[in-house]
Amino acid sequence: MKHMHEFEIKKMLRMAAEAMEKAYAPYSDFRVGACLKASSGAYYLGCNIENAAYTPTVCAERSAMFKAIYEGERQFEGIAIISDSLNYTSPCGVCRQVLAEFCDPDMPVICADRDGNYKMLELCELIPMAFTKEDMEH
Ligand code: THU
């Protein structure tokens, strides 16, 4: 597990909680916020954005990631996720796949509950044997 200082984790969780306030979640009434740290040192915040048609909904993790990619970032140090839940919020399967596209398998993923208690995992624990560009070599 890559080391991440407790101070840094708490800072990212605070930013993720701020991002959660921006959630557009009238259908699930479940707000999620994410804080993605790029290797440049910049932080990218995202929230879930729902849709009346449900399936176009985008999660907090992907909204943060897509903002970062748009800004030219291609390397990441960690992501923190927080929600309204009493339980730890871990990324959905689609977000795990998107994270696997751009992040190293050992990147820390910080999954917090609404009180800021957290569990830190490596991305490869959340998506073992992810399908990546290497799997398309032929
Ligand atoms: N959601 C996220 O934004 N991230 C997660 O890690 C889990 C789920 C959102 C999608 C939807 O807007 C709501 O939470 C309920 O699934």
Side-chain angles (χ1 to χ4, degrees):
M1 171 77 70
K2 271 185 190 160
H3 181 72
M4 206 182 245
H5 204 280
E6 183 71 16
F7 178 83
E8 179 64 17
I9 294 169
K10 289 275 155 65
K11 179 178 168 179
M12 287 177 69
L13 284 174
R14 261 199 317 275
M15 286 193 279
E18 273 174 39
M20 192 180 92
E21 300 295 326
K22 307 271 178 73
Y24 175 76
Y27 306 105
S28 71
D29 194 30
F30 184 67
R31 303 174 308 155
V32 186
C35 173
L36 176 68
K37 187 181 185 188
S39 301
S40 66
Y43 297 92
Y44 295 88
L45 306 184
C47 63
N48 54 330
I49 303 166
E50 297 187 344
N51 189 279
Y54 287 35
T55 47
T57 292
V58 68
C59 294
E61 297 89 325
R62 272 176 290 146
S63 64
M65 178 57 88
F66 295 151
K67 279 169 74 182
I69 296 300
Y70 176 79
E71 294 298 337
E73 304 284 4
R74 291 294 185 272
Q75 278 193 306
F76 300 95
E77 301 207 335
I79 187 167
I81 305 143
I82 199 162
S83 77
D84 287 321
S85 178
L86 285 165
N87 300 317
Y88 300 114
T89 298
S90 72
C92 81
V94 173
C95 289
R96 292 176 195 205
Q97 182 64 29
V98 169
L99 290 168
E101 181 71 26
F102 298 105
C103 309
D104 293 338
D106 65 349
M107 188 189 81
V109 179
I110 301 147
C111 305
D113 67 16
R114 69 178 187 201
D115 298 318
N117 304 305
Y118 66 88
K119 209 186 309 200
M120 191 157 99
L121 298 104
E122 294 188 334
L123 180 59
C124 61
E125 294 178 87
L126 293 169
I127 182 161
M129 213 181 148
F131 180 75
T132 63
K133 51 182 175 295
E134 284 77 37
D135 297 303
M136 294 181 73
E137 284 166 9
H138 58 276

